[in-house]
């Protein structure tokens, strides 16, 4: 069984890396740089343009284990990269934009779901999040995290559904989920940081209409009656502007949490 020697803390991250030719090929180097700086144990990537790119990022960012699957109609897909070997890897892309992996960490089975809900349809987002929650409920684990680009605001019914505050199509998320950035914001007395920055990220230069938003999140399913892990950190990353391309590494900022 794999055991981490350096720390008892688990770092989980999510990062939408922007499937665009803007700033390429240099932007790949900066994406890898941002990933290496946070040194997460597990990171979920969205908008990965191809399996070849997933393999290259994993190799250059020092992740020996990775799982990728693409959408049926193109090469773009989702990738989960990890420092430890996987126990299970499943694609749920046939039903929803999500993939699932699990692994042992300090003798506990941890599961991670990488999610990228569609941006262009509220109805499809709601339909897919129900399917994802139902798929999670069929798995066994000690702790499960859902991470990714949810393409909706904190006030959306998708978010409220996950938090256990509303139903969707007569379904409920039971047990509910906890938004870790919101929890850490309350602990620190600081506002949860936005991951779409329409004012400072050069990708959105000149956008004076859309409001800064927090579309990228990491959630933990309620573990009761098992003890909660301790949330010891939550930050955004990928905010640096690289002068040679006049862009950040992505149009989204990533999120990384640290759990004890």
């Amino acid at each position: 069984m794999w055991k981490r020697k350096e720390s008892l803390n688990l770092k989980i991250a999510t990062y939408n890396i922007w499937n665009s030719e803007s700033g390429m090929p240099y932007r790949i180097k900066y994406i890898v740089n941002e990933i290496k700086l946070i040194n997460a144990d597990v990171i979920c990537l969205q908008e990965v343009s191809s399996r070849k790119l997933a393999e290259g990022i994993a190799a250059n960012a020092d992740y020996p284990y990775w799982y990728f699957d693409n959408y049926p109609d193109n090469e773009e897909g989702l990738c989960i990269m990890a420092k430890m070997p996987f126990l299970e890897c499943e694609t749920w892309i046939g039903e929803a934009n999500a993939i699932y992996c699990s692994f042992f960490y300090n003798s506990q089975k941890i599961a991670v779901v990488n999610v990228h809900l569609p941006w262009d349809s509220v109805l499809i987002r709601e339909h897919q999040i129900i399917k994802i929650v139902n798929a999670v409920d069929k798995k066994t684990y000690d702790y499960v995290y859902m991470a990714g680009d949810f393409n909706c605001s904190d006030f959306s019914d998708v978010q409220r559904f996950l938090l256990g505050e509303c139903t969707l199509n007569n379904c409920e998320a039971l047990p509910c989920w906890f938004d870790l950035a919101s929890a850490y914001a309350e602990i620190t007395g600081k506002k949860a940081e936005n991951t779409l920055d329409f004012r400072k990220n050069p990708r959105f230069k000149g956008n004076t209409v859309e409001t800064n938003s927090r579309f990228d999140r990491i959630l933990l399913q309620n573990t009761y009656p098992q003890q909660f892990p301790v949330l010891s950190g939550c930050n955004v990353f990928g905010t640096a502007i690289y002068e040679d391309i006049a862009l950040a590494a992505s149009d989204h900022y990533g999120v990384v949490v640290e759990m004890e």
Side-chain angles (χ1 to χ4, degrees):
M1 182 183 300
W2 184 94
K3 292 184 179 180
R4 181 180 174 88
K5 295 179 180 179
E6 296 88 351
S7 171
L8 294 177
N9 293 359
L10 175 67
K11 291 177 74 173
I12 300 175
T14 181
Y15 198 19
N16 181 325
I17 63 172
W18 188 23
N19 183 9
S20 169
E21 289 302 313
S22 297
M24 290 298 190
Y26 307 102
R27 204 161 50 78
I28 295 174
K29 176 177 70 174
Y30 300 136
I31 289 168
V32 170
N33 181 60
E34 295 291 346
I35 291 171
K36 292 181 75 171
L37 283 173
I38 60 166
N39 192 31
D41 298 288
V42 181
I43 182 165
C44 298
L45 303 180
Q46 302 86 43
E47 292 198 30
V48 184
S49 62
S50 67
R51 180 176 298 275
K52 182 178 179 181
L53 179 61
E55 182 177 16
I57 292 175
N60 288 304
D62 301 321
Y63 284 87
Y65 307 99
W66 58 278
Y67 177 67
F68 171 89
D69 195 34
N70 63 288
Y71 303 116
D73 55 348
N74 60 61
E75 293 186 5
E76 180 186 317
L78 303 172
C79 183
I80 300 177
M81 305 190 309
K83 303 284 189 179
M84 67 290 285
F86 293 123
L87 294 170
E88 306 166 277
C89 293
E90 289 185 7
T91 181
W92 297 344
I93 285 179
E95 296 292 326
N97 296 355
I99 59 175
Y100 169 96
C101 290
S102 64
F103 51 89
F104 275 126
Y105 190 88
N106 292 325
S107 301
Q108 294 175 321
K109 185 178 180 182
I110 311 296
V112 175
V113 184
N114 183 0
V115 173
H116 188 194
L117 298 181
W119 64 272
D120 55 351
S121 172
V122 175
L123 186 63
I124 296 175
R125 281 199 298 272
E126 292 181 353
H127 179 74
Q128 288 196 5
I129 199 64
I130 292 170
K131 287 188 173 294
I132 291 167
V133 166
N134 288 340
V136 170
D137 288 344
K138 296 175 183 177
K139 309 300 292 184
T140 58
Y141 43 77
D142 294 304
Y143 298 98
V144 57
Y145 296 86
M146 190 184 302
D149 177 2
F150 291 79
N151 265 314
C152 55
S153 75
D154 292 341
F155 308 105
S156 68
D157 281 352
V158 166
Q159 176 76 342
R160 294 176 61 239
F161 168 74
L162 291 170
L163 298 179
E165 296 177 355
C166 76
T167 60
L168 288 178
N169 196 25
N170 293 320
C171 297
E172 61 179 338
L174 188 67
C176 67
W177 299 72
F178 298 106
D179 184 328
L180 297 179
S182 294
Y184 195 67
E186 182 175 300
I187 293 168
T188 59
K190 299 178 181 179
K191 184 181 177 182
E193 297 174 277
N194 292 316
T195 62
L196 281 178
D197 189 340
F198 295 105
R199 309 295 169 255
K200 296 181 181 179
N201 192 319
R203 154 74 167 89
F204 304 109
K205 185 177 180 180
N207 189 333
T208 61
V209 175
E210 294 181 88
T211 57
N212 292 343
S213 300
R214 193 171 66 89
F215 278 13
D216 306 82
R217 306 185 187 95
I218 301 176
L219 297 96
L220 169 69
Q221 192 182 55
N222 192 338
T223 65
Y224 181 84
Q226 187 162 315
Q227 183 177 353
F228 290 129
V230 176
L231 173 62
S232 56
C234 180
N235 300 100
V236 300
F237 64 92
T239 61
I241 308 301
Y242 294 91
E243 292 184 0
D244 58 340
I245 58 172
L247 289 169
S250 177
D251 59 347
H252 285 240
Y253 301 150
V255 182
V256 57
V257 299
E258 188 162 359
M259 310 297 295
E260 296 178 10

